[in-house]
Amino acid sequence: MGRLDPRGELWPPFGAMKLFLDSADLSEIREAASMGLIDGVTTNPTLVAKVGRPLREIVREIAEVVDGPISAEVISTDYEGMIREGRELAAIHPNVVVKIPLTADGLRAVKRFAQDGIRTNVTLCFSPSQALLAAKAGATYISPFIGRIDDVSAEGMNLLRQIVRIFKNYQFNTQVLAASIRHPLHVVEAAEIGADVATLPYKVLTQLLRHPLTEVGLAAFLADAQRIPTSQK
Ligand code: E4P
């Protein structure tokens, strides 16, 4: 989500891949937010169950910590249920994005939400044809599950590449959100392909930062700094 820096320039720079945190754990979310690198948060029922508190309560608290889209997933599977639940979730905070599974009823709900101005994140996408339908329905985000495709011995990144190409061909406004990210290479490849967003577990966010040569190099610089005469420091 773009905002103006003190010089009045758009930050992050136009076109930068956004990073969302894939978590419902408030301590992780606070920690990641304090790094100043998080543009939003995604949750799912599994992540919420791990925390063991009601989704609505968690979403309210996330909204106090992160100023960006917060995906909250419906658990209804029928159209009417998704509409009812999605409206309740969207009413919690203007940053809420209603997460909808990629089913026929789900896409009907996405279309309705698009007409009502409610943003959606279509989840559990495993094929380019599913992504095409979600974009046509008016999804704000489509979430291809990269890691889960890798888990069954296929190339998750191929799906991401296909979706990005298809959306570019037709200039769909739907943003491609690389989900089910398991390691830093997934993030780098998603950026090379041109995903709009990558949503990362906290562990992957910290892994992105670290490099042993940075640590070794810093230790050497600090040791050498001790040998500099005080007046030159
Ligand atoms: C996020 O929106 C997805 O629900 C999440 O990235 C799924 O990740 P997993 O495959 O590691 O559960």
Side-chain angles (χ1 to χ4, degrees):
M1 181 166 280
R3 49 189 170 264
L4 297 182
D5 72 9
R7 290 168 305 173
E9 289 172 3
L10 191 63
W11 189 263
F14 178 73
M17 184 172 80
K18 282 162 263 171
L19 296 180
F20 290 178
L21 194 72
D22 199 21
S23 176
D25 180 329
L26 257 299
S27 59
E28 277 182 2
I29 294 169
R30 281 197 189 94
E31 196 65 37
S34 72
M35 294 167 75
L37 298 170
I38 291 303
D39 304 299
V41 175
T42 52
T43 66
N44 65 34
T46 305
L47 295 170
V48 173
K50 268 190 207 160
V51 172
R53 291 199 297 128
L55 172 64
R56 285 156 182 70
E57 200 176 293
I58 293 171
V59 169
R60 264 183 225 107
E61 290 174 26
I62 297 174
E64 286 169 16
V65 178
V66 176
D67 180 19
I70 303 162
S71 290
E73 190 159 339
V74 298
I75 48 172
S76 301
T77 53
D78 61 302
Y79 171 76
E80 281 78 15
M82 287 185 197
I83 294 292
R84 191 188 55 251
E85 225 186 300
R87 283 180 179 155
E88 284 169 16
L89 291 170
I92 297 174
H93 193 278
N95 283 349
V96 169
V97 174
V98 179
K99 210 169 175 193
I100 305 273
L102 214 158
T103 61
D105 278 40
L107 294 186
R108 259 183 82 199
V110 166
K111 185 154 193 175
R112 182 57 209 253
F113 285 135
Q115 286 160 354
D116 294 349
I118 292 177
R119 292 180 295 166
T120 52
N121 173 358
V122 177
T123 188
L124 292 166
C125 173
F126 292 96
S127 78
S129 58
Q130 289 181 315
L132 180 61
L133 295 183
K136 282 184 74 75
T140 313
Y141 299 97
I142 181 73
S143 287
F145 274 35
I146 309 305
R148 292 195 196 186
I149 295 178
D150 289 357
D151 288 345
V152 293
S153 305
E155 280 272 353
M157 282 300 156
N158 284 346
L159 171 61
L160 191 68
R161 204 169 284 114
Q162 284 177 296
I163 297 173
V164 168
R165 196 181 311 133
I166 291 168
F167 284 14
K168 210 172 185 179
N169 285 348
Y170 299 106
Q171 285 154 25
F172 281 123
N173 287 328
T174 302
Q175 296 186 46
V176 183
L177 191 165
S180 188
I181 293 279
R182 301 279 164 76
H183 50 71
L185 204 51
H186 273 157
V187 182
V188 172
E189 286 182 298
E192 281 179 342
I193 290 167
D196 298 290
V197 189
T199 188
L200 327 177
Y202 181 73
K203 182 179 169 220
V204 177
L205 179 69
T206 58
Q207 286 174 327
L208 281 183
L209 180 70
R210 292 209 186 103
H211 196 290
L213 291 181
T214 305
E215 284 156 25
V216 169
L218 180 59
F221 284 154
L222 294 179
D224 289 343
Q226 294 308 310
R227 297 190 290 115
I228 301 172
T230 317
S231 61
Q232 289 177 33
K233 273 190 188 175

